[in-house]
Amino acid sequence: MALDKNQIAKRIAQEVKDGYYVNLGIGIPTLVANYVRNDISVEFQSENGVLGMGPFPFEGEEDADLINAGKQTITTLPGASFFDSAMSFGMIRGQHVDLTILGAMEVAENGDIANWKIPGKMVKGMGGAMDLVASADNIIVAMMHVNKAGESKILKKCTLPLTGVGCVKKVVTELAVMEVTPKGFQLLERAPGVSVEHIIAATEATLIIDGDIPEMKID
Amino acid sequence: MINKKVSSVQEALQGIEDNMTLMLGGFGLCGIPENAIAELVQKQTKNLTCISNNAGVDDFGLGLLLQQKQIKKMISSYVGENAEFERQMLSGELEVELIPQGTLAERCRAAQTGIPAFFTPAGFGTEVAIGKETREFNGKMHVLEHAFQADFAIVKAWKGDTAGNLIFKGSARNFNPCMAGAAKITIAEVEELVEAGTLDPNQIHIPGIFVQRIFQGVKFEKRIEQRTTRKK
């Protein structure tokens, strides 16, 4: 069965290691915070100037001066800090953030990513996405393998305006976990109950399959 | 002691005229100079170029200036929350330059600190880099970006003193510190304005040297864009 958004987030949460500083993009990535193991210490960075981002507040405790990059009200955890936008992106560009998780509309086998613009239809802006993908060494993309029309979004070449070039390393979709290699996407894991054939059919890009592909382990 | 205090928002915004370029602090509706924006609407200053991360929502923040068609050009990183903005942009009524958020912040900081231009990896290989010089450093490609040149910077802080020193609160800080001193004249709008000597110098986030005028806002709505909560 293809994964739902929460299950994709659960699988990605397994990549978060003890002591990591993590930036979560809007959409599916924000759900990752709910599934990080509670026996490890992690700090979430919000690009609008917060480290140590915590869960949403209880009703009645919302603070207009405390929001995340998606403009939602949040709280902070012990050890949190506030800083300005120049320092925030200095943190990002200076590779002080260990892991960046963001969404995408398309990824290509050379690691290109498009996630900010559909010309003539959706031109909301790139926000911090271009800084994040250009700076991070460790990027995981959370995305749907195919769009609503069943067309593959894992491509040989992106068709939409690019957010960054050659920057994606790992992709987790509702069907698979894949890694970008010089020869194409390497299939690492498949969603429980999803066949390799199904994934091949859903992937327009070059897909490398080496031996038996294990299922993702998601509780 | 140098006194930067002005007693009204009208006095604070003296000299802002049609066709000028303004920097405005804030991230979404958080940390926006609400009182100054309301006064700009009152003044009906037109043909403005606004450098601000977002464009507010339809009926609050910079959205109010857009409603009144006072903005000719927006330089922002994300405008998703404002339908009127998207409409004006897609129809060609509004000129828009969308730039990476980190580049936006750094172009302000560069203007503040006398760095005329800098290289950043953000946007290399994308439409953001078109027409710009690129250069390789340490095996990685970068794009040359320039410091902004603006007439006025309008920043919002939590507390300030008559010497222009500023303290920010929470995520309302965002672009305000890097915009202070980044334009020819900086106006600071604060919730609480105290006499110089009241604030502990160790607590100051932005020294008053970057601020030319400071005033206490009369009303702060502090609207929440996405009130998000969790269950007990």
Side-chain angles (χ1 to χ4, degrees):
Chain A
M1 270 288 293
L3 303 182
D4 64 27
K5 291 177 179 195
N6 281 293
Q7 290 170 312
I8 296 175
K10 259 191 193 176
R11 174 58 188 85
I12 294 177
Q14 294 170 14
E15 306 286 318
V16 180
K17 301 197 183 358
D18 191 27
Y20 265 19
Y21 292 95
V22 183
N23 182 292
L24 300 175
I26 56 176
I28 297 176
T30 51
L31 302 173
V32 172
N34 301 335
Y35 301 111
V36 171
R37 288 167 48 185
N38 41 21
D39 61 344
I40 62 173
S41 302
V42 169
E43 262 191 51
F44 291 104
Q45 195 249 15
S46 192
E47 70 212 37
N48 57 312
V50 185
L51 255 181
M53 189 167 61
F56 298 134
F58 294 122
E59 219 178 287
E61 292 174 9
E62 307 94 353
D63 180 353
D65 289 328
L66 189 50
I67 62 170
N68 65 13
K71 324 279 186 334
Q72 301 168 308
T73 44
I74 55 167
T75 59
T76 53
L77 294 170
S81 55
F82 299 122
F83 39 91
D84 77 302
S85 300
M87 178 168 282
S88 179
F89 283 89
M91 230 171 260
I92 288 167
R93 231 184 281 108
Q95 302 195 315
H96 301 274
V97 175
D98 298 292
L99 176 60
T100 290
I101 304 171
L102 36 62
M105 294 180 297
E106 296 176 346
V107 290
E109 60 191 50
N110 64 351
D112 287 357
I113 177 172
N115 75 353
W116 74 280
K117 181 177 178 181
I118 303 174
K121 273 173 66 185
M122 191 201 79
V123 194
K124 294 184 193 291
M126 69 291 278
M130 287 191 178
D131 296 273
L132 286 157
V133 303
S135 311
D137 251 352
N138 199 356
I139 300 179
I140 299 179
V141 174
M143 64 185 288
M144 299 315 280
H145 211 109
V146 293
N147 64 17
K148 290 190 175 102
E151 297 157 333
S152 179
K153 296 163 68 179
I154 313 292
L155 306 170
K156 285 189 164 49
K157 226 179 137 198
C158 290
T159 66
L160 293 172
L162 296 180
T163 307
V165 294
C167 44
V168 178
K169 303 284 180 331
K170 208 167 205 170
V171 182
V172 179
T173 74
E174 77 280 24
L175 303 179
V177 177
M178 299 171 292
E179 203 166 63
V180 172
T181 75
K183 297 223 168 85
F185 284 102
Q186 175 108 31
L187 181 59
L188 297 179
E189 296 168 28
R190 52 196 176 83
V194 169
S195 68
V196 171
E197 289 69 37
H198 182 164
I199 297 168
I200 293 172
T203 307
E204 191 255 2
T206 308
L207 191 61
I208 301 158
I209 298 154
D210 226 333
D212 243 347
I213 306 297
E215 285 184 340
M216 296 181 211
K217 287 192 184 60
I218 310 170
D219 320 299
Chain B
M1 269 171 286
I2 302 177
N3 193 328
K4 313 271 177 92
K5 177 181 171 176
V6 293
S7 39
S8 68
V9 63
Q10 287 78 21
E11 211 185 321
L13 267 50
Q14 275 264 336
I16 297 186
E17 275 151 26
D18 291 355
N19 308 307
M20 280 190 168
T21 296
L22 309 180
M23 276 178 186
L24 294 120
F27 180 92
L29 301 179
C30 188
I32 58 169
E34 298 183 30
N35 292 272
I37 291 171
E39 179 58 19
L40 282 171
V41 173
Q42 275 300 305
K43 277 169 67 108
Q44 282 292 299
T45 324
K46 292 218 164 359
N47 253 16
L48 296 167
T49 294
C50 292
I51 299 165
S52 195
N53 191 54
N54 313 100
V57 294
D58 287 312
D59 62 341
F60 198 62
L62 291 182
L64 294 171
L65 292 172
L66 283 168
Q67 261 182 3
Q68 298 291 310
K69 309 259 171 30
Q70 293 175 253
I71 303 179
K72 177 184 82 168
K73 179 174 179 178
M74 279 295 303
I75 301 175
S76 307
S77 83
Y78 191 81
V79 295
E81 285 83 19
N82 190 324
E84 174 61 10
F85 181 114
E86 225 179 317
R87 191 200 64 75
Q88 279 188 25
M89 173 176 64
L90 290 172
S91 76
E93 288 164 58
L94 176 66
E95 215 185 307
V96 178
E97 203 181 311
L98 289 168
I99 70 179
Q101 198 180 149
T103 301
L104 184 71
E106 196 62 19
R107 289 179 70 184
C108 291
R109 205 192 74 89
Q112 178 194 60
T113 58
I115 303 282
F118 56 91
F119 283 94
T120 171
F124 176 77
T126 76
E127 59 188 62
V128 156
I130 293 173
K132 295 178 184 166
E133 188 185 323
T134 59
R135 198 187 290 188
E136 184 186 310
F137 292 93
N138 305 315
K140 189 169 161 186
M141 294 306 295
H142 295 72
V143 181
L144 183 66
E145 297 281 2
H146 292 74
F148 282 126
Q149 291 184 306
D151 299 291
F152 283 84
I154 308 175
V155 302
K156 154 80 198 312
W158 180 34
K159 297 184 192 179
D161 66 18
T162 51
N165 295 307
L166 304 175
I167 298 178
F168 304 94
K169 182 163 170 273
S171 62
R173 194 187 297 213
N174 59 71
F175 285 84
N176 293 297
C178 52
M179 287 181 171
K184 293 196 188 105
I185 297 176
T186 296
I187 302 160
E189 172 179 315
V190 297
E191 294 176 46
E192 197 186 322
L193 181 54
V194 297
E195 284 302 305
T198 314
L199 301 177
D200 173 2
N202 284 311
Q203 303 295 321
I204 304 300
H205 295 151
I206 284 292
I209 196 168
F210 292 119
V211 175
Q212 280 66 55
R213 306 171 195 172
I214 186 166
F215 75 100
Q216 182 164 300
V218 164
K219 179 175 168 286
F220 290 95
E221 186 184 328
K222 287 206 192 177
R223 198 182 284 198
I224 291 176
E225 219 169 315
Q226 309 261 2
R227 192 174 295 269
T228 322
T229 56
R230 76 186 199 274
K231 292 187 177 33
K232 279 208 162 87

